Amino acid sequence: MSDVPSDISHDQHAVRRQKLADLRAGGFDPFRANVAVTHFSQDAKALFVEGQEYGPVVTVAGRLVTFRVQGGSSFVKIQDQQGPIQLYFRRDVIGEERYGVFKKSLDLGDIIGVTGALFKTKTGEITVRVDAFTLVSKALRPLPEKWHGLSDAEQVYRQRYLDLIVNAESRKRLMLRSKIVSQVRRFLEDKQFLEVETPVLQAVAGGAAARPFTTHHNTLGMDFVLRISLELYLKRMLVAGYDRVFEIGRNFRNEGVSRRHNPEFTMLEVYQAYSDYRGMMTLVQELMRHLVRDVVKPTEAEGEGENAPRRATMKIKHAASGQDIDFGAEWREVKYKDLIIEKTGDAQWFSRSKEEKIAGVQKLGLFADVKWEEFELTNEIFGKLIEPTLIQPTFVTHLPKELCPLAKITPDDPTTIDVFELIIGGMEIAPAYSEQNDPDVQRQMFEAQAGEEKQNIDQDFLLALEHGMPPAGGMGIGIDRLCILLTGAESIRDVILYPQLRNAQA
């Protein structure tokens, strides 16, 4: 697959293969060469001291992203993990023979290493004056055309490596994802949370209501599922005496694909003994503000005009609505029931019959399946008409108990649970609970959720609870959704390196 016409791509492929053959015939195989890199591009440029004619000698390597030969001297650019750096080749510096190799053998997309001193050009760009270079990988196929990038949206995801070469925004976004995950880990470790790893292959799909992927272990002679949640094994760690634990890991759900859903996704789950859902409120607020302030580092103009000075802010732009999300302001807290009553205009909504609720959902212009339970009818209103409107950080608390069997029942309202859903930018970022640690109540809630499918209850987890689990707060954060929010991406595919796709058509 290529983003240039097939005949042009074929011609370039043939020319490049001939160049490779000529190099090998001359006794040089680029795929057996290497280079001892001393610096990444931006680290190298940072070494240059203003006022000097030449800076230190560095060795850098990367892919040729601009390549135009001009007589006896040429400026080109290579790109590495940190970005681009300019190189200056001169015939009288590297010699006639090597300059001939440079002109005749290299192509856009080749990977080279160079050694030379840093200097600043008349236009102010820090550049390496090349004393020696080595071709270490010949690109046999051309890159997508620079100014148009990948025109096929599917190709962006199928050939992510090309997208990352030619698309600076993609590189920046996915580098930021790495920094976000790293800082989440460091933030929790600084608060004495221990990172643990729990099984991906599980006998029972527990911790969420979702359709799992199934597999079979030949040696053990038994079926397994890929985990749909991290929760139940992490709670076993609380039983074991690990008071603060977290895991950043992959979950797998054999369900739909959408702008916010991928079958394979990354979750953070964190559990803290002797805490509750309000403790998780404090934790997630501190975490989010840290990520915005110290990782995303947004700024805003201090006046009018394109060149106005900028200052640090706690606001980021919400792409879909155009609103500024202010993480530094007070975060709203509101009960789920109050939002439903406000939207329906019916103060008696929660005492209405199922038939009345169906009519109420339909009156709001939504589909209502007669097979749905009453809480599902209500949650359709929340999911379709309320959640998308909550752009500023909002803790929606005390959800119906049917939505989660793993949380404690609210003491003064047995129809709800002590939980919150943190909604930012119109999507759920983090649910959190006061974790249920009464084994008898937990069994009852599991059985009510499972109905006739009692085999889907994790009996070993219930056994663990009977040994005693301390009161705790627990929280999950979808890392992919978090990255959508903090990078301004439009889709989950834009923050996952390799999203699941249908097979490419022949």
Side-chain angles (χ1 to χ4, degrees):
M1 185 184 295
S2 176
D3 200 52
V4 296
S6 59
D7 55 339
I8 296 175
S9 175
H10 176 76
D11 289 346
Q12 289 196 35
H13 187 208
V15 169
R16 288 168 182 243
R17 281 203 169 274
Q18 184 59 53
K19 289 184 179 182
L20 175 61
D22 292 343
L23 286 167
R24 284 172 168 164
F28 177 73
D29 186 344
F31 299 114
R32 292 186 177 275
N34 206 342
V35 60
V37 173
T38 62
H39 298 85
F40 285 128
S41 57
Q42 306 312 303
D43 295 336
K45 288 193 279 189
L47 297 175
F48 185 79
V49 177
E50 291 294 337
Q52 294 183 342
E53 182 178 3
Y54 289 103
V57 173
V58 298
T59 299
V60 293
R63 187 180 300 275
L64 280 165
V65 290
T66 64
F67 183 63
R68 291 182 177 86
V69 178
Q70 299 173 342
S73 64
S74 301
F75 286 98
V76 304
K77 287 187 179 180
I78 60 172
Q79 179 175 284
D80 65 9
Q81 177 176 303
Q82 290 186 345
I85 187 169
Q86 184 166 263
L87 314 177
Y88 181 46
F89 287 80
R90 285 182 53 172
R91 180 189 290 119
D92 61 354
V93 173
I94 65 174
E96 186 76 34
E97 181 181 353
R98 292 299 289 161
Y99 196 74
V101 172
F102 164 73
K103 289 174 62 177
K104 295 177 182 179
S105 301
L106 300 190
D107 291 294
L108 193 68
D110 288 352
I111 299 173
I112 66 171
V114 303
T115 298
L118 297 166
F119 75 101
K120 180 175 281 191
T121 66
K122 293 179 180 179
T123 60
E125 185 163 359
I126 298 172
T127 302
V128 178
R129 192 196 71 167
V130 177
D131 295 322
F133 77 94
T134 304
L135 172 63
V136 296
S137 186
K138 183 69 183 170
L140 298 178
R141 294 187 181 274
L143 297 178
E145 203 280 323
K146 176 182 176 182
W147 303 111
H148 298 99
L150 296 176
S151 58
D152 181 353
E154 281 289 297
Q155 191 185 7
V156 167
Y157 307 119
R158 292 191 187 281
Q159 293 182 282
R160 177 68 87 183
Y161 49 91
L162 293 181
D163 175 50
L164 293 174
I165 291 170
V166 302
N167 189 337
E169 282 301 313
S170 287
R171 285 200 308 278
K172 179 180 177 182
R173 184 184 306 117
L174 288 160
M175 289 285 282
L176 184 55
R177 177 193 171 106
S178 294
K179 293 177 182 178
I180 289 168
V181 173
S182 176
Q183 285 297 316
V184 166
R185 181 174 280 112
R186 182 174 300 178
F187 173 88
L188 291 170
E189 288 174 343
D190 287 347
K191 291 185 176 293
Q192 295 185 284
F193 284 85
L194 298 173
E195 183 173 13
V196 299
E197 295 178 317
T198 61
V200 172
L201 291 175
Q202 301 181 355
V204 178
R211 182 181 178 184
F213 290 92
T214 60
T215 188
H216 183 79
H217 193 289
N218 294 329
T219 301
L220 295 178
M222 62 183 291
D223 291 334
F224 284 92
V225 296
L226 300 184
R227 66 184 177 196
I228 59 175
S229 170
L230 311 174
E231 183 163 352
L232 299 188
Y233 279 92
L234 287 173
K235 286 184 179 178
R236 286 169 168 86
M237 300 306 297
L238 295 178
V239 174
Y242 285 58
D243 291 337
R244 298 184 184 186
V245 295
F246 75 95
E247 182 172 6
I248 299 173
R250 292 296 181 92
N251 287 341
F252 306 85
R253 297 184 182 180
N254 196 356
E255 299 176 343
V257 177
S258 72
R259 192 173 69 85
R260 296 179 183 176
H261 297 90
N262 193 66
E264 177 182 2
F265 60 98
T266 304
M267 282 292 296
L268 161 71
E269 291 204 22
V270 54
Y271 294 87
Q272 181 175 347
Y274 316 110
S275 185
D276 57 15
Y277 79 106
R278 292 205 167 273
M280 295 298 103
M281 279 187 182
T282 300
L283 185 69
V284 72
Q285 192 171 59
E286 290 178 358
L287 172 60
M288 293 298 297
R289 286 175 171 166
H290 165 65
L291 293 176
V292 171
R293 180 184 60 246
D294 300 325
V295 182
V296 180
K297 298 181 180 179
T299 62
E300 61 183 5
E302 283 189 301
E304 300 296 327
E306 190 175 304
N307 298 319
R310 303 189 69 83
R311 64 182 175 189
T313 177
M314 290 290 286
K315 298 176 182 178
I316 63 173
K317 182 72 69 177
H318 180 235
S321 69
Q323 294 184 41
D324 286 332
I325 301 175
D326 190 351
F327 290 86
E330 183 176 354
W331 292 18
R332 181 187 181 192
E333 181 181 333
V334 58
K335 289 185 176 181
Y336 179 94
K337 285 186 174 181
D338 292 340
L339 289 172
I340 295 295
I341 290 171
E342 178 184 330
K343 176 55 65 176
T344 61
D346 184 356
Q348 304 304 315
W349 175 268
F350 288 92
S351 61
R352 299 294 184 192
S353 67
K354 180 177 179 179
E355 291 71 23
E356 289 173 321
K357 288 177 179 174
I358 289 173
V361 171
Q362 293 172 337
K363 184 178 179 181
L364 291 169
L366 301 176
F367 173 74
D369 193 322
V370 295
K371 297 178 182 178
W372 287 350
E373 300 290 339
E374 291 188 35
F375 76 90
E376 293 177 299
L377 292 165
T378 300
N379 209 46
E380 183 73 359
I381 297 172
F382 178 79
K384 296 291 178 59
L385 300 181
I386 297 174
E387 182 178 296
T389 69
L390 302 177
I391 306 302
Q392 300 303 319
T394 303
F395 292 116
V396 178
T397 69
H398 300 94
L399 279 67
K401 66 178 183 180
E402 294 87 355
L403 291 175
C404 179
L406 291 155
K408 285 189 174 181
I409 303 294
T410 305
D412 59 357
D413 184 354
T415 68
T416 68
I417 43 180
D418 279 348
V419 306
F420 70 74
E421 286 186 359
L422 174 60
I423 313 296
I424 310 176
M427 63 182 173
E428 181 191 59
I429 298 297
Y433 318 146
S434 294
E435 301 294 340
Q436 181 57 258
N437 63 336
D438 183 326
D440 295 331
V441 174
Q442 185 64 88
R443 180 177 296 277
Q444 293 168 10
M445 296 182 75
F446 273 171
E447 290 177 348
Q449 183 189 55
E452 296 180 358
E453 298 180 355
K454 296 293 193 295
Q455 74 277 8
N456 292 333
I457 294 175
D458 190 334
Q459 299 292 343
D460 182 73
F461 172 68
L462 292 173
L463 176 63
L465 278 190
E466 290 185 358
H467 287 84
M469 186 183 92
M475 178 171 62
I477 297 179
I479 294 295
D480 307 308
R481 288 192 177 188
L482 177 66
C483 292
I484 290 174
L485 175 70
L486 295 182
T487 67
E490 294 184 0
S491 167
I492 194 170
R493 288 182 170 189
D494 296 325
V495 296
I496 295 177
L497 277 170
Y498 303 108
Q500 270 71 40
L501 300 166
R502 295 184 186 275
N503 288 335
Q505 298 298 314

